[in-house]
Amino acid sequence: MRRMILAAAAAVLATACIRTAVDPVTGRMDVDIESPTQQGQQWTAEIAGQGSGASITGNAVARVIAGTTTTTVTIRGATAGARIPWHVHQGNCGAGGQIVGEPSAYPAIVVGGDGTGTASAQIQLQLNEAQRYHVNLHESPTNLPTIIGCGQLDD
């Protein structure tokens, strides 16, 4: 009886650490095995410039802990003094998608004299592993439809 209880407990623990989802792009099953000691989840993106922002490079890191997502974006090669709005969006780069959380939660990146800038945003919801997300950099606060950089967030 004791062995059966231990086996059942081990099975419950093992299934609690394995998550599965269907990738909406490829249609394949994605199995994600998590450590039971992991605190939160981390998503990363390499940002590539587009159009008038072609010289921009950078990265984004989104950390999900206890239902809150904190995302930090760091860029290089931007125009000194620029204010660059950015958001985490649902979907893939180039396909648009709804902004995740409140748009006002994302402060603009203020670019320094050396062409670099960093900004962080905290939203009160958790990214979902079964969905795709990306970070868009917008040309300016008055020209949000023009995307000058994008990075696909991967977990």
Side-chain angles (χ1 to χ4, degrees):
M1 180 68 161
R2 186 170 162 179
R3 287 185 186 169
M4 283 181 51
I5 293 172
L6 288 174
V12 168
L13 179 59
T15 58
C17 300
I18 299 174
R19 289 187 277 185
T20 60
V22 175
D23 185 312
V25 175
T26 65
R28 290 182 288 177
M29 181 65 74
D30 178 28
V31 178
D32 187 11
I33 301 173
E34 302 283 340
S35 163
T37 60
Q38 177 176 327
Q39 295 296 311
Q41 183 176 35
Q42 182 168 298
W43 300 58
T44 59
E46 291 298 318
I47 296 173
Q50 301 175 3
S52 64
S55 63
I56 295 174
T57 60
N59 60 58
V61 176
R63 289 183 177 87
V64 180
I65 299 175
T68 299
T69 302
T70 302
T71 306
T72 301
V73 175
T74 302
I75 61 171
R76 297 169 294 286
T79 302
R83 293 179 52 80
I84 300 176
W86 65 282
H87 304 99
V88 173
H89 291 260
Q90 293 179 348
N92 295 313
C93 282
Q98 184 176 1
I99 294 173
V100 176
E102 290 296 320
S104 61
Y106 297 89
I109 300 168
V110 178
V111 181
D114 62 354
T116 66
T118 300
S120 293
Q122 187 174 59
I123 54 174
Q124 299 303 312
L125 55 94
Q126 181 169 314
L127 298 181
N128 180 342
E129 285 187 345
Q131 295 185 13
R132 305 281 293 163
Y133 301 96
H134 64 282
V135 174
N136 269 350
L137 304 180
H138 303 274
E139 185 173 73
S140 70
T142 58
N143 191 3
L144 293 175
T146 300
I147 305 302
I148 61 169
C150 192
Q152 195 69 42
L153 283 167
D154 294 310
D155 64 337

